[in-house]
Amino acid sequence: MKCRRCKAPAVIDVRRHNAAFCQDCFLHHCREQVRRSVEDHRMFSPQERVLVAVSGGKDSLALWDLLRTLGYQADGLYIGLGIGEYSDTSGTFARDYAAANGLTLHEVDLRGEFGFGVPEAAAATRRAPCGACGLSKRHLFNSAALEHGYDVLATGHNLDDEAAVLLGNVLRWETGYLGRQHPVLPAAPGFVRKVKPLIRLGEREMAAYCVLQGIDYIVEECPMAAGNRHLGLKEVLNSLEDRSPGTKAAFLFGFVERGHERFAEATESDRSALRPCTSCGAPTPAEICAFCSLRARATAPVAVRPSR
Ligand code: SF4
Ligand SMILES: [Zn+2]
Ligand SMILES: [Zn+2]
């Protein structure tokens, strides 16, 4: 196997591109994919301040590294989710990367600052933990980006993640979610702009990027991931991709280019009907936002039934 770009011995193949690369050319390939995503979708300019949502995993650390290498002003934000040892370890990877590269990492601790972690939230809602976790992360990422004056929030969702979310939304015709699923979600009153610069890179490419670039990341899966329905959707897409490389990219990019706008209008009118949460000020369709009501449920004293 030879590198497509320089003909040196290759270290990785990317079947979707029908190409193999040596180490230097693979790193160049990753940078090019991110550069293209940022420029094609006008995610941000070099003058804007980017806040990267950093989990300590491969995608978010690779994203932070790639943005810095491309010359963007990118700081990190780590949220401690209170998931026992997993959270302790993932926080260490995020802090170590920031310290080794002299970067600013903001931190929010869900339990320390709001009195609950994801396990308590899941128990209070009696739902799969990922729902409460995702809700908390979206709320805290947005409020931290606004509080610290960043122009844009970047998340490490990759091609595999986005294709799986899209498949889930299509299978249930979740038109509201389809309207919001785009590499760029523009800013609105109370909402910072949100972007996904890794949509042109797959999970395997992100792991390879970290290994070749010498970035240490948490390899273990979150122990609460078992109830995450996207894992099943990823398996389905991987088997389609095996039979026909390029399927995932065609599915996702076809939607972004030709499908998304058909669903976007409804989303914009949804957003214009919001008002400030009476507890925290975040935009919400109700009196109290979803995060504050989750917090109230997760921190409520457990009722003890009187014994007979
Ligand atoms: S797997 Fe679920 S619970 Fe774990 S970090 Fe991801 S969204 Fe949160
Ligand atoms: Zn090469
Ligand atoms: Zn609120």
Side-chain angles (χ1 to χ4, degrees):
M1 223 172 33
K2 286 192 176 163
C3 172
R4 174 161 88 180
R5 215 165 142 245
C6 75
K7 309 297 175 219
V11 297
I12 181 167
D13 68 320
V14 185
R15 282 182 72 203
R16 185 174 76 256
H17 291 287
N18 199 16
F21 298 103
C22 71
Q23 175 160 343
D24 285 354
C25 294
F26 176 72
L27 296 174
H28 175 267
H29 155 80
C30 293
R31 291 192 294 271
E32 275 303 293
Q33 298 305 309
V34 171
R35 189 188 59 73
R36 269 187 71 180
S37 298
V38 172
E39 290 180 7
D40 288 359
H41 294 288
R42 299 188 182 169
M43 291 183 176
F44 43 80
S45 68
Q47 288 71 39
E48 289 184 298
R49 292 175 68 229
V50 183
L51 184 63
V52 181
V54 181
S55 70
K58 62 184 187 327
D59 301 301
S60 55
L61 287 175
L63 171 60
W64 200 2
D65 197 76
L66 281 157
L67 293 182
R68 287 180 45 251
T69 313
L70 287 167
Y72 291 107
Q73 305 179 51
D75 294 340
L77 168 65
Y78 173 78
I79 297 181
L81 298 167
I83 309 178
E85 204 182 318
Y86 172 78
S87 287
D88 299 341
T89 313
S90 56
T92 305
F93 282 107
R95 282 176 215 115
D96 286 354
Y97 177 82
N101 294 282
L103 301 173
T104 299
L105 178 70
H106 302 278
E107 292 201 42
V108 177
D109 186 62
L110 192 53
R111 191 169 288 124
E113 294 180 37
F114 299 94
F116 71 100
V118 167
E120 294 92 298
T125 55
R126 301 208 180 114
R127 295 251 176 101
C130 299
C133 183
L135 187 162
S136 304
K137 285 191 285 196
R138 280 191 299 278
H139 177 88
L140 297 172
F141 287 150
N142 188 64
S143 54
L146 292 173
E147 180 192 335
H148 296 288
Y150 286 91
D151 298 293
V152 55
L153 174 78
T155 54
H157 296 97
N158 61 38
L159 170 58
D160 295 71
D161 299 325
E162 286 301 290
V165 170
L166 177 60
L167 181 58
N169 287 340
V170 168
L171 288 175
R172 288 159 196 260
W173 290 115
E174 298 274 14
T175 51
Y177 290 145
L178 287 167
R180 279 191 291 273
Q181 186 170 2
H182 193 266
V184 181
L185 200 52
F191 292 108
V192 71
R193 187 187 332 148
K194 298 184 184 77
V195 299
K196 298 170 182 167
L198 295 186
I199 46 152
R200 302 185 63 87
L201 291 160
E203 213 147 81
R204 185 168 153 268
E205 285 157 280
M206 297 333 301
Y209 180 87
C210 286
V211 171
L212 296 175
Q213 188 75 333
I215 298 171
D216 286 331
Y217 62 93
I218 184 158
V219 178
E220 292 84 49
E221 288 287 331
C222 168
M224 311 205 96
N228 189 328
R229 68 190 176 92
H230 292 133
L231 295 180
L233 297 170
K234 280 185 179 176
E235 280 170 24
V236 171
L237 285 167
N238 283 342
S239 80
L240 292 173
E241 182 79 17
D242 271 350
R243 287 184 211 185
S244 179
T247 300
K248 264 185 241 180
F251 178 50
L252 180 63
F253 302 151
F255 170 75
V256 169
E257 284 157 25
R258 300 188 295 279
H260 171 263
E261 64 184 348
R262 293 162 197 252
F263 300 94
E265 223 168 80
T267 311
E268 276 157 30
S269 56
D270 277 2
R271 275 181 146 197
S272 62
L274 303 177
R275 54 188 172 151
C277 167
T278 51
S279 174
C280 75
T284 172
E287 196 179 329
I288 302 269
C289 78
F291 177 76
C292 289
S293 75
L294 176 70
R295 180 186 184 187
R297 290 175 76 183
T299 54
V302 181
V304 180
R305 283 197 192 151
S307 54
R308 294 188 186 177

